[in-house]
């Protein structure tokens, strides 16, 4: 079970990027940024920082129950606790609790959350990104979220707010689409998605990995 939780290390850059680009629409940006900083450290392996981020995002979510982004990230911190737990039953418990919070966050998205502001990520799009990246990476044999993540990814990329999102965020979705194509053994589609991601954000943190993968695919 410990091995199945290693995905959190590879997902760190993706979550950190989406955190950095998003901002609370309800005036708690400073508190959000503090939670974000702790969250990034937690993703890099700091159990104590993840505990701090979890408490901060929980507080933000309780203060602004209508904000799905806070709840989604709170769910992520709970799922990351699965990485740090020693006992298998605790890993499953934290993973399930985290995914449950993300499920709730998705249900809280309203049309208002999908309104784009210049230079910022629509709250609904970033919330979906957290969900997609989590659903696709958690061990499917334990948590059964891959199909949901795949469907949500396709649905979000067709959403009008997606096209209005910053290119860096769009690139993250294309990278997730490339991962899906790889898992589904569709090399041509994987190439297309990787190339599009690099076009949108050549300086992305995963850029070298994407380029190396393209070489492996003969592109």
């Amino acid at each position: 079970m410990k091995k199945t939780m290693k995905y959190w290390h590879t997902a760190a850059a993706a979550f950190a990027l989406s955190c950095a680009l998003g901002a609370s629409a309800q005036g708690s940006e400073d508190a959000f940024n503090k939670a974000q900083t702790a969250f990034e450290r937690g993703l890099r392996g700091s159990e104590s920082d993840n505990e701090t981020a979890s408490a901060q995002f929980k507080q933000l979510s309780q203060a602004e129950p209508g904000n799905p982004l806070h709840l989604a990230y709170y769910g992520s911190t709970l799922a990351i606790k699965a990485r740090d737990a020693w006992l298998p039953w605790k890993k499953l418990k934290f993973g399930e609790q985290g995914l449950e919070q993300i499920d709730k966050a998705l249900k809280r998205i309203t049309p208002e959350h999908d309104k784009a502001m210049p230079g910022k990520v629509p709250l609904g799009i970033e919330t979906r990104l957290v969900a997609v990246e989590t659903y696709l990476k958690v061990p499917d044999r334990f948590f059964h979220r891959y199909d949901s993540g795949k469907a949500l990814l396709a649905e979000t990329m067709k959403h009008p707010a997606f096209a209005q999102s910053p290119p860096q965020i769009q690139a993250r979705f294309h990278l997730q689409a490339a991962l899906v194509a790889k898992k589904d053994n569709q090399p041509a589609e994987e190439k297309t998605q990787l190339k599009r991601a690099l076009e949108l954000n050549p300086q992305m943190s995963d850029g070298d990995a994407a380029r190396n993968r393209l070489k492996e695919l003969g592109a």
Side-chain angles (χ1 to χ4, degrees), residues 35-110:
Q36 171 211 344
T37 299
F39 184 69
E40 290 182 31
R41 291 172 181 164
L43 283 169
R44 291 195 293 267
S46 172
E47 184 175 352
S48 62
D49 280 304
N50 185 61
E51 291 284 352
T52 298
S54 186
Q56 291 173 334
F57 277 121
K58 181 178 182 179
Q59 185 176 10
L60 283 168
S61 181
Q62 290 174 339
E64 299 176 13
N67 188 322
L69 182 59
H70 294 161
L71 185 60
Y73 277 118
Y74 172 56
S76 294
T77 66
L78 291 178
I80 293 170
K81 287 184 180 183
R83 176 200 67 193
D84 300 323
W86 286 92
L87 298 175
W89 70 267
K90 282 193 174 182
K91 289 181 178 290
L92 287 171
K93 175 185 175 182
F94 284 131
E96 290 169 351
Q97 287 179 341
L99 290 167
E100 181 180 359
Q101 296 306 310
I102 294 174
D103 292 344
K104 290 180 180 178
L106 289 173
K107 293 178 181 178
R108 292 185 182 182
I109 296 174
T110 68

Side-chain angles (χ1 to χ4, degrees), residues 16-31:
L17 173 63
S18 59
C19 280
L21 288 172
S24 169
Q26 283 80 24
S28 57
E29 188 171 350
D30 288 343

Side-chain angles (χ1 to χ4, degrees), residues 125-193:
I125 293 297
E126 186 172 2
T127 301
R128 293 181 184 92
L129 178 59
V130 173
V132 167
E133 292 185 330
T134 305
Y135 289 171
L136 292 180
K137 291 181 176 67
V138 294
D140 198 51
R141 61 175 175 154
F142 295 112
F143 300 113
H144 313 295
R145 285 298 199 285
Y146 178 78
D147 288 343
S148 297
K150 183 177 175 180
L152 182 60
L153 173 65
E155 173 188 312
T156 305
M157 292 179 76
K158 294 177 182 178
H159 196 287
F162 174 77
Q164 301 176 49
S165 300
Q168 297 93 327
I169 284 292
Q170 293 186 42
R172 295 306 321 170
F173 280 96
H174 284 284
L175 277 182
Q176 296 308 304
L179 291 175
V180 168
K182 180 180 180 180
K183 186 176 180 65
D184 292 350
N185 194 27
Q186 297 176 335
E189 179 64 15
E190 184 182 359
K191 289 180 188 178
T192 298
Q193 296 296 339

